[in-house]
Amino acid sequence: MIGGIPCSGKTTLMKNIIEGLGSYENYEPIPLFKCQKYKDVLVVGQYPESETFGGTDRLSYGTINKFQEFINQEVTKHKHILIEGDRFCQAKNLEFLLDEHDAMVYTLKIQPEEEKRRHVKRNDTQSEKWLKGRHSQISHLFTNFDLMWRLQARDTTNGIEEVKKEIMEIIKWEHPDKTKY
């Protein structure tokens, strides 16, 4: 799971990871859960090249209450399941993943100046109230006694390459050109 505040690089990181995974097939194991399947790696959400905000941002809010059922159904079918974004990054889901499955949760952070720069560059239209809500949601994860020591916080102010390398090492993916990540 990759979570974090807006503009911290969640979608960019996921797009960079899946870029190295080769070809995929679209896969919808249960209604509303549109995914991309790369051999034995399942990516929750779909990431068309033409869309800035793909992935779980495009999934129906109806998926939120079915998240744990979805994971339990799919976990034995795939070596890894990759999830990014705001949709499922809630304490109850993170506790479920960490307690019930062999999971890692990366929480991306960014320096305020860089966050502001990225919002301007993206021409974001999110309200200050909405942005503060997302900041609060992530901050609360780090004060949750069940989660605070199990979250992998990473600062992406200077880019996502280090986090990408770390995740690719966990996946231990071999690119079709035989380059090992």
Side-chain angles (χ1 to χ4, degrees), residues 66-88:
K66 297 178 185 253
F67 177 73
Q68 293 182 16
E69 171 190 340
F70 165 77
I71 294 296
N72 285 334
Q73 173 185 306
E74 294 300 308
V75 72
T76 59
K77 299 176 186 177
H78 312 280
K79 184 176 179 184
H80 299 285
I81 300 176
L82 302 178
I83 308 159
E84 68 83 21
D86 181 78
R87 187 77 76 233
F88 306 113

mmCIF file of all heavy atoms in Angstrom, residues 66-88:
data_model
loop_
_atom_site.group_PDB
_atom_site.id
_atom_site.type_symbol
_atom_site.label_atom_id
_atom_site.label_comp_id
_atom_site.label_asym_id
_atom_site.label_seq_id
_atom_site.Cartn_x
_atom_site.Cartn_y
_atom_site.Cartn_z
ATOM 1 N N LYS A 66 -15.837 -2.958 0.461
ATOM 2 C CA LYS A 66 -15.538 -4.307 -0.026
ATOM 3 C C LYS A 66 -14.039 -4.577 -0.084
ATOM 4 O O LYS A 66 -13.616 -5.626 -0.547
ATOM 5 C CB LYS A 66 -16.157 -4.507 -1.411
ATOM 6 C CG LYS A 66 -17.667 -4.426 -1.393
ATOM 7 C CD LYS A 66 -18.228 -4.578 -2.783
ATOM 8 C CE LYS A 66 -19.712 -4.376 -2.767
ATOM 9 N NZ LYS A 66 -20.472 -5.568 -2.938
ATOM 10 N N PHE A 67 -13.233 -3.620 0.381
ATOM 11 C CA PHE A 67 -11.784 -3.725 0.265
ATOM 12 C C PHE A 67 -11.234 -4.991 0.917
ATOM 13 O O PHE A 67 -10.464 -5.738 0.305
ATOM 14 C CB PHE A 67 -11.117 -2.484 0.869
ATOM 15 C CG PHE A 67 -9.616 -2.550 0.856
ATOM 16 C CD1 PHE A 67 -8.912 -2.394 -0.315
ATOM 17 C CD2 PHE A 67 -8.908 -2.775 2.029
ATOM 18 C CE1 PHE A 67 -7.529 -2.456 -0.336
ATOM 19 C CE2 PHE A 67 -7.525 -2.838 2.024
ATOM 20 C CZ PHE A 67 -6.834 -2.674 0.836
ATOM 21 N N GLN A 68 -11.601 -5.262 2.157
ATOM 22 C CA GLN A 68 -11.043 -6.423 2.855
ATOM 23 C C GLN A 68 -11.481 -7.726 2.199
ATOM 24 O O GLN A 68 -10.679 -8.654 2.063
ATOM 25 C CB GLN A 68 -11.421 -6.365 4.330
ATOM 26 C CG GLN A 68 -10.753 -5.195 5.031
ATOM 27 C CD GLN A 68 -11.059 -5.106 6.510
ATOM 28 O OE1 GLN A 68 -11.532 -6.055 7.136
ATOM 29 N NE2 GLN A 68 -10.784 -3.944 7.098
ATOM 30 N N GLU A 69 -12.716 -7.786 1.761
ATOM 31 C CA GLU A 69 -13.207 -8.968 1.041
ATOM 32 C C GLU A 69 -12.392 -9.172 -0.243
ATOM 33 O O GLU A 69 -11.988 -10.292 -0.568
ATOM 34 C CB GLU A 69 -14.690 -8.770 0.706
ATOM 35 C CG GLU A 69 -15.279 -9.806 -0.215
ATOM 36 C CD GLU A 69 -16.675 -9.423 -0.691
ATOM 37 O OE1 GLU A 69 -17.347 -8.586 -0.056
ATOM 38 O OE2 GLU A 69 -17.085 -9.976 -1.724
ATOM 39 N N PHE A 70 -12.147 -8.081 -0.952
ATOM 40 C CA PHE A 70 -11.359 -8.127 -2.188
ATOM 41 C C PHE A 70 -9.953 -8.665 -1.914
ATOM 42 O O PHE A 70 -9.467 -9.565 -2.602
ATOM 43 C CB PHE A 70 -11.299 -6.722 -2.812
ATOM 44 C CG PHE A 70 -10.249 -6.571 -3.861
ATOM 45 C CD1 PHE A 70 -10.440 -7.077 -5.141
ATOM 46 C CD2 PHE A 70 -9.064 -5.906 -3.583
ATOM 47 C CE1 PHE A 70 -9.460 -6.931 -6.119
ATOM 48 C CE2 PHE A 70 -8.091 -5.759 -4.547
ATOM 49 C CZ PHE A 70 -8.288 -6.278 -5.824
ATOM 50 N N ILE A 71 -9.284 -8.118 -0.913
ATOM 51 C CA ILE A 71 -7.924 -8.557 -0.590
ATOM 52 C C ILE A 71 -7.923 -10.031 -0.219
ATOM 53 O O ILE A 71 -7.097 -10.812 -0.713
ATOM 54 C CB ILE A 71 -7.307 -7.699 0.537
ATOM 55 C CG1 ILE A 71 -7.092 -6.258 0.066
ATOM 56 C CG2 ILE A 71 -6.012 -8.312 1.066
ATOM 57 C CD1 ILE A 71 -6.086 -6.096 -1.064
ATOM 58 N N ASN A 72 -8.840 -10.440 0.650
ATOM 59 C CA ASN A 72 -8.891 -11.849 1.060
ATOM 60 C C ASN A 72 -9.120 -12.775 -0.127
ATOM 61 O O ASN A 72 -8.573 -13.879 -0.171
ATOM 62 C CB ASN A 72 -9.962 -12.059 2.123
ATOM 63 C CG ASN A 72 -9.535 -11.540 3.476
ATOM 64 O OD1 ASN A 72 -8.350 -11.447 3.793
ATOM 65 N ND2 ASN A 72 -10.504 -11.170 4.296
ATOM 66 N N GLN A 73 -9.908 -12.345 -1.091
ATOM 67 C CA GLN A 73 -10.178 -13.157 -2.276
ATOM 68 C C GLN A 73 -8.954 -13.252 -3.182
ATOM 69 O O GLN A 73 -8.661 -14.313 -3.737
ATOM 70 C CB GLN A 73 -11.352 -12.569 -3.057
ATOM 71 C CG GLN A 73 -11.592 -13.265 -4.394
ATOM 72 C CD GLN A 73 -12.668 -12.600 -5.210
ATOM 73 O OE1 GLN A 73 -13.770 -12.407 -4.730
ATOM 74 N NE2 GLN A 73 -12.347 -12.239 -6.451
ATOM 75 N N GLU A 74 -8.215 -12.153 -3.331
ATOM 76 C CA GLU A 74 -7.146 -12.083 -4.325
ATOM 77 C C GLU A 74 -5.757 -12.425 -3.807
ATOM 78 O O GLU A 74 -4.870 -12.737 -4.583
ATOM 79 C CB GLU A 74 -7.127 -10.685 -4.957
ATOM 80 C CG GLU A 74 -8.360 -10.378 -5.780
ATOM 81 C CD GLU A 74 -8.556 -11.351 -6.937
ATOM 82 O OE1 GLU A 74 -7.608 -11.557 -7.720
ATOM 83 O OE2 GLU A 74 -9.660 -11.909 -7.050
ATOM 84 N N VAL A 75 -5.553 -12.390 -2.500
ATOM 85 C CA VAL A 75 -4.200 -12.503 -1.949
ATOM 86 C C VAL A 75 -3.508 -13.822 -2.305
ATOM 87 O O VAL A 75 -2.300 -13.842 -2.519
ATOM 88 C CB VAL A 75 -4.201 -12.245 -0.420
ATOM 89 C CG1 VAL A 75 -4.841 -13.396 0.339
ATOM 90 C CG2 VAL A 75 -2.798 -11.952 0.083
ATOM 91 N N THR A 76 -4.238 -14.893 -2.399
ATOM 92 C CA THR A 76 -3.600 -16.181 -2.716
ATOM 93 C C THR A 76 -3.357 -16.364 -4.216
ATOM 94 O O THR A 76 -2.653 -17.284 -4.611
ATOM 95 C CB THR A 76 -4.450 -17.360 -2.199
ATOM 96 O OG1 THR A 76 -5.749 -17.291 -2.808
ATOM 97 C CG2 THR A 76 -4.580 -17.320 -0.688
ATOM 98 N N LYS A 77 -3.906 -15.488 -5.023
ATOM 99 C CA LYS A 77 -3.788 -15.615 -6.477
ATOM 100 C C LYS A 77 -2.584 -14.858 -7.054
ATOM 101 O O LYS A 77 -2.258 -15.033 -8.230
ATOM 102 C CB LYS A 77 -5.053 -15.086 -7.151
ATOM 103 C CG LYS A 77 -6.314 -15.833 -6.769
ATOM 104 C CD LYS A 77 -7.519 -15.172 -7.408
ATOM 105 C CE LYS A 77 -8.805 -15.807 -6.928
ATOM 106 N NZ LYS A 77 -9.985 -15.109 -7.490
ATOM 107 N N HIS A 78 -1.963 -14.001 -6.232
ATOM 108 C CA HIS A 78 -0.901 -13.134 -6.734
ATOM 109 C C HIS A 78 0.261 -13.098 -5.748
ATOM 110 O O HIS A 78 0.055 -13.131 -4.538
ATOM 111 C CB HIS A 78 -1.435 -11.706 -6.935
ATOM 112 C CG HIS A 78 -2.725 -11.667 -7.685
ATOM 113 N ND1 HIS A 78 -2.794 -11.782 -9.054
ATOM 114 C CD2 HIS A 78 -4.004 -11.570 -7.261
ATOM 115 C CE1 HIS A 78 -4.048 -11.745 -9.431
ATOM 116 N NE2 HIS A 78 -4.802 -11.613 -8.359
ATOM 117 N N LYS A 79 1.467 -12.983 -6.285
ATOM 118 C CA LYS A 79 2.640 -12.867 -5.424
ATOM 119 C C LYS A 79 2.622 -11.541 -4.670
ATOM 120 O O LYS A 79 2.979 -11.468 -3.501
ATOM 121 C CB LYS A 79 3.913 -12.991 -6.263
ATOM 122 C CG LYS A 79 5.185 -12.980 -5.461
ATOM 123 C CD LYS A 79 6.394 -13.205 -6.344
ATOM 124 C CE LYS A 79 7.670 -13.169 -5.523
ATOM 125 N NZ LYS A 79 8.851 -13.282 -6.386
ATOM 126 N N HIS A 80 2.197 -10.475 -5.363
ATOM 127 C CA HIS A 80 2.125 -9.145 -4.757
ATOM 128 C C HIS A 80 0.865 -8.443 -5.232
ATOM 129 O O HIS A 80 0.453 -8.614 -6.382
ATOM 130 C CB HIS A 80 3.331 -8.282 -5.138
ATOM 131 C CG HIS A 80 4.627 -8.841 -4.687
ATOM 132 N ND1 HIS A 80 5.042 -8.799 -3.374
ATOM 133 C CD2 HIS A 80 5.611 -9.474 -5.368
ATOM 134 C CE1 HIS A 80 6.221 -9.377 -3.270
ATOM 135 N NE2 HIS A 80 6.589 -9.803 -4.456
ATOM 136 N N ILE A 81 0.296 -7.628 -4.364
ATOM 137 C CA ILE A 81 -0.803 -6.739 -4.723
ATOM 138 C C ILE A 81 -0.342 -5.325 -4.389
ATOM 139 O O ILE A 81 0.012 -5.044 -3.242
ATOM 140 C CB ILE A 81 -2.098 -7.080 -3.964
ATOM 141 C CG1 ILE A 81 -2.550 -8.514 -4.285
ATOM 142 C CG2 ILE A 81 -3.196 -6.067 -4.299
ATOM 143 C CD1 ILE A 81 -3.768 -8.983 -3.496
ATOM 144 N N LEU A 82 -0.326 -4.459 -5.395
ATOM 145 C CA LEU A 82 0.115 -3.080 -5.215
ATOM 146 C C LEU A 82 -1.096 -2.155 -5.235
ATOM 147 O O LEU A 82 -1.926 -2.231 -6.142
ATOM 148 C CB LEU A 82 1.086 -2.669 -6.321
ATOM 149 C CG LEU A 82 2.353 -3.505 -6.460
ATOM 150 C CD1 LEU A 82 3.185 -3.004 -7.636
ATOM 151 C CD2 LEU A 82 3.163 -3.465 -5.185
ATOM 152 N N ILE A 83 -1.155 -1.276 -4.239
ATOM 153 C CA ILE A 83 -2.279 -0.353 -4.092
ATOM 154 C C ILE A 83 -1.707 1.013 -3.761
ATOM 155 O O ILE A 83 -0.835 1.124 -2.899
ATOM 156 C CB ILE A 83 -3.196 -0.792 -2.931
ATOM 157 C CG1 ILE A 83 -3.596 -2.253 -3.069
ATOM 158 C CG2 ILE A 83 -4.417 0.125 -2.815
ATOM 159 C CD1 ILE A 83 -4.064 -2.887 -1.769
ATOM 160 N N GLU A 84 -2.209 2.060 -4.405
ATOM 161 C CA GLU A 84 -1.781 3.406 -4.043
ATOM 162 C C GLU A 84 -3.003 4.303 -3.979
ATOM 163 O O GLU A 84 -4.022 4.020 -4.573
ATOM 164 C CB GLU A 84 -0.744 3.973 -5.013
ATOM 165 C CG GLU A 84 -1.221 4.274 -6.411
ATOM 166 C CD GLU A 84 -1.907 5.611 -6.614
ATOM 167 O OE1 GLU A 84 -1.736 6.554 -5.806
ATOM 168 O OE2 GLU A 84 -2.652 5.714 -7.585
ATOM 169 N N GLY A 85 -2.839 5.372 -3.253
ATOM 170 C CA GLY A 85 -3.861 6.396 -3.259
ATOM 171 C C GLY A 85 -4.613 6.538 -1.958
ATOM 172 O O GLY A 85 -4.342 5.873 -0.965
ATOM 173 N N ASP A 86 -5.569 7.389 -2.020
ATOM 174 C CA ASP A 86 -6.330 7.846 -0.876
ATOM 175 C C ASP A 86 -7.503 6.926 -0.536
ATOM 176 O O ASP A 86 -7.912 6.829 0.607
ATOM 177 C CB ASP A 86 -6.827 9.254 -1.239
ATOM 178 C CG ASP A 86 -7.613 9.916 -0.160
ATOM 179 O OD1 ASP A 86 -6.984 10.400 0.786
ATOM 180 O OD2 ASP A 86 -8.848 9.944 -0.286
ATOM 181 N N ARG A 87 -8.037 6.268 -1.550
ATOM 182 C CA ARG A 87 -9.299 5.532 -1.425
ATOM 183 C C ARG A 87 -9.306 4.516 -0.276
ATOM 184 O O ARG A 87 -10.268 4.429 0.465
ATOM 185 C CB ARG A 87 -9.617 4.843 -2.755
ATOM 186 C CG ARG A 87 -10.951 4.197 -2.847
ATOM 187 C CD ARG A 87 -12.089 5.178 -3.064
ATOM 188 N NE ARG A 87 -12.124 5.648 -4.426
ATOM 189 C CZ ARG A 87 -12.128 6.938 -4.762
ATOM 190 N NH1 ARG A 87 -12.084 7.865 -3.855
ATOM 191 N NH2 ARG A 87 -12.156 7.312 -6.019
ATOM 192 N N PHE A 88 -8.233 3.753 -0.126
ATOM 193 C CA PHE A 88 -8.208 2.694 0.883
ATOM 194 C C PHE A 88 -7.244 2.979 2.031
ATOM 195 O O PHE A 88 -7.060 2.132 2.899
ATOM 196 C CB PHE A 88 -7.848 1.356 0.238
ATOM 197 C CG PHE A 88 -8.737 1.004 -0.916
ATOM 198 C CD1 PHE A 88 -8.244 0.947 -2.204
ATOM 199 C CD2 PHE A 88 -10.087 0.762 -0.716
ATOM 200 C CE1 PHE A 88 -9.063 0.642 -3.276
ATOM 201 C CE2 PHE A 88 -10.924 0.456 -1.783
ATOM 202 C CZ PHE A 88 -10.412 0.396 -3.069
#
